[in-house]
Amino acid sequence: MTNKDVLIKVVDLHKGFGDLKVLRNINQEIHQGEVVSIVGPSGSGKSTFLRCLNLMEIPDSGQVIFEGVDITDPSVNIDLHRRKIGMVFQHFNVFPHLTVMENITITPILELKTPKKQAEEEAMKLLKSVGLEEKANEYPRKLSGGQKQRLAIVRALAMNPDVMLFDEPTSALDPEMVKDVLDVIKALVDGGMTCVIVTHEMGFAKQVSDRVLFMDDGVIAEEGTPKQIFENPQNPRTIAFLSKVLY
Amino acid sequence: MGGPSILEVLITYYPLFLRGLWSTLKLAFISVLLGTLLGALISMLTLSKNKIINAIGNIYITIFRGTPILVQLYIFYYFMPMVIPILNSLPKVVTIVMALVINSSSYVSEIIRGGILAVDKGQTEAARSLGMTSKNCMMKIVLPQAIKSIIPSLGNEYIMMIKETSLASTLAYNELMFVKTILSNKFLIWQPLFIISGIYLMVTLVLTYGVSLLEKRLSVSD
Ligand SMILES: Nc1ncnc2c1ncn2[C@@H]1O[C@H](COP(=O)(O)OP(=O)(O)OP(=O)(O)O)[C@@H](O)[C@H]1O
Ligand SMILES: [Mg+2]
């Protein structure tokens, strides 16, 4: 967290579904180049918080200021901002009717008007970086879970995002595939990408994060460096949670 | 059940039956084709987040699925030309096609809506999170996947429509069922009915088989 530039600023964020209050009064700043992990019990609102950052969920109140623009303002064209915010989902959500190559190039070609040839060259570079260049012309049904997730990551990277959001990127994977995906994320982090990662992989969070947020019941109950959170948690709820997930 | 045998009637009058069948197939095809275009539009209404637009779509579907197609045919045939005078100068079949198209569109719109809703929500989320516009997301991501379940259902709608066009015979439209009326003037009452049933049955069986093949083809490419 050497760079002080605030990339995403969240102010007084509230979000509920019907009567259920899922997020209450969240305030956060995510800095350029920072890696923030979000941990916490199931149902605590981690995904909802992450999805508010690119307006996949519309907050009930509060602001999400991305690169200086309040993207909760209904008059902003959210598509333009989402192109700068990559998102990776638990269930990959690769496009089954498109080849691996097309999965990556379709949005740059459609929305950024990147010439097809250039988009394909860039996609090929990305595929090489995650060891999928041989699969370029396959359909995703031929890929393993880990390969699908790596595809989903490079598909997001093809838009040249300024930040990547990960929602439990390895939770749906067979254990032997987890490492491949974490390695890709690790490489991104090492390359300086700003990342917000919801994860149950405590070891990984500890290793890559600059900061860890512990969410519980719709609030950020505790935050700090991985060392503070994992080795010396203060909040009893953090302690209780960690005692359940750490061996 | 006197008179000539079914076979004799068929041999003597087969051109009449064939012409009727051809007319039925065309009428049903045009109705489902135009019904699909209109149905796609209606499905967009029912998928809209805007409550008023949504309600318009739902009322349309409720009305045209909730009333008998025969009644719709009569209303369009006798009543529409009074409201829209230009219809008087067009062939009468136009009002018949209008009724069938509108009826078909109400069913097709539900087929399309169902097909679209059956596509995993994660697909839309992924596309939109990449910054794809909602239009591109629909056209390039959701519809191409929905089409797999939509196309076989449209085939089934065509099969239904082939049977339903027989109602147009009551308006003296010269399709397959109307052959019965023509031949009844020659005192052939029961033979044409069996022949017509047989033809409908053959056509629907063949088409049903075709649809099931299509369904299989489309599902392997998953
Ligand atoms: N679209 C929705 N409609 C209604 N309720 C929802 C919706 N999305 C989430 N919720 C509810 O909001 C609460 C928080 O959900 P969220 O997915 O943010 O939790 P989470 O911390 O990500 O949990 P997990 O670790 O299981 O993924 C849960 O009670 C969930 O059931
Ligand atoms: Mg979650």
Side-chain angles (χ1 to χ4, degrees), chain A residues 66-112:
Chain A
F66 173 65
E67 296 183 332
V69 179
D70 178 6
I71 57 173
T72 61
D73 181 345
S75 69
V76 307
N77 180 354
I78 189 62
D79 295 333
L80 296 180
H81 298 285
R82 282 183 179 149
R83 289 168 201 165
K84 292 272 142 206
I85 309 176
M87 185 171 233
V88 174
F89 302 84
Q90 184 175 353
H91 295 288
F92 331 132
N93 301 342
V94 292
F95 305 134
H97 62 301
L98 300 179
T99 63
V100 166
M101 176 60 82
E102 290 165 342
N103 261 270
I104 301 172
T105 57
I106 183 166
T107 322
I109 290 172
L110 280 177
E111 310 294 358
L112 304 178

Side-chain angles (χ1 to χ4, degrees), chain A residues 17-18 20 22-23 40-49 51 57 90 167-168 198 200 215, chain B residues 121:
Chain A
F17 296 104
L20 184 70
V22 177
L23 297 177
S42 183
S44 57
K46 305 180 296 295
S47 297
T48 307
F49 173 60
R51 292 161 55 81
E57 300 291 351
Q90 184 175 353
D167 192 356
E168 299 196 30
V198 175
H200 288 301
M215 280 193 75
Chain B
K121 248 182 74 203

Side-chain angles (χ1 to χ4, degrees), chain A residues 26-240:
Chain A
I26 308 257
N27 288 282
Q28 269 297 314
E29 282 183 2
I30 290 155
H31 299 256
Q32 189 91 53
E34 193 181 23
V35 178
V36 177
S37 292
I38 305 173
V39 302
S42 183
S44 57
K46 305 180 296 295
S47 297
T48 307
F49 173 60
L50 195 73
R51 292 161 55 81
C52 280
L53 297 181
N54 64 349
L55 277 254
M56 297 306 287
E57 300 291 351
I58 314 268
D60 295 338
S61 67
Q63 295 168 314
V64 177
I65 296 160
F66 173 65
E67 296 183 332
V69 179
D70 178 6
I71 57 173
T72 61
D73 181 345
S75 69
V76 307
N77 180 354
I78 189 62
D79 295 333
L80 296 180
H81 298 285
R82 282 183 179 149
R83 289 168 201 165
K84 292 272 142 206
I85 309 176
M87 185 171 233
V88 174
F89 302 84
Q90 184 175 353
H91 295 288
F92 331 132
N93 301 342
V94 292
F95 305 134
H97 62 301
L98 300 179
T99 63
V100 166
M101 176 60 82
E102 290 165 342
N103 261 270
I104 301 172
T105 57
I106 183 166
T107 322
I109 290 172
L110 280 177
E111 310 294 358
L112 304 178
K113 310 292 174 217
T114 310
K116 184 161 184 264
K117 193 155 171 290
Q118 185 191 337
E120 286 179 348
E121 281 166 13
E122 284 165 15
M124 210 57 198
K125 268 187 222 147
L126 286 165
L127 283 173
K128 279 202 183 104
S129 74
V130 296
L132 287 178
E133 68 271 29
E134 317 251 278
K135 306 283 183 186
N137 297 315
E138 302 277 12
Y139 282 88
R141 64 176 176 278
K142 296 262 181 77
L143 303 184
S144 71
Q147 291 171 329
K148 282 182 189 158
Q149 193 61 302
R150 281 180 276 156
L151 168 60
I153 293 172
V154 290
R155 177 180 65 179
L157 292 175
M159 297 298 286
N160 273 314
D162 294 335
V163 54
M164 288 286 287
L165 311 177
F166 295 89
D167 192 356
E168 299 196 30
T170 59
S171 293
L173 295 178
D174 291 336
E176 74 270 20
M177 293 171 180
V178 169
K179 189 173 174 298
D180 286 346
V181 170
L182 292 182
D183 282 345
V184 170
I185 301 174
K186 178 78 169 49
L188 270 180
V189 167
D190 292 343
M193 177 64 80
T194 311
C195 293
V196 184
I197 310 169
V198 175
T199 185
H200 288 301
E201 300 282 339
M202 298 301 155
F204 183 70
K206 201 168 163 176
Q207 188 194 340
V208 300
S209 311
D210 297 307
R211 196 150 55 92
V212 178
L213 311 182
F214 170 70
M215 280 193 75
D216 190 32
D217 198 19
V219 298
I220 294 168
E222 186 167 359
E223 65 172 284
T225 63
K227 222 173 156 61
Q228 285 167 344
I229 298 293
F230 292 115
E231 287 165 25
N232 191 18
Q234 302 298 310
N235 190 317
R237 293 191 289 182
T238 319
I239 297 167

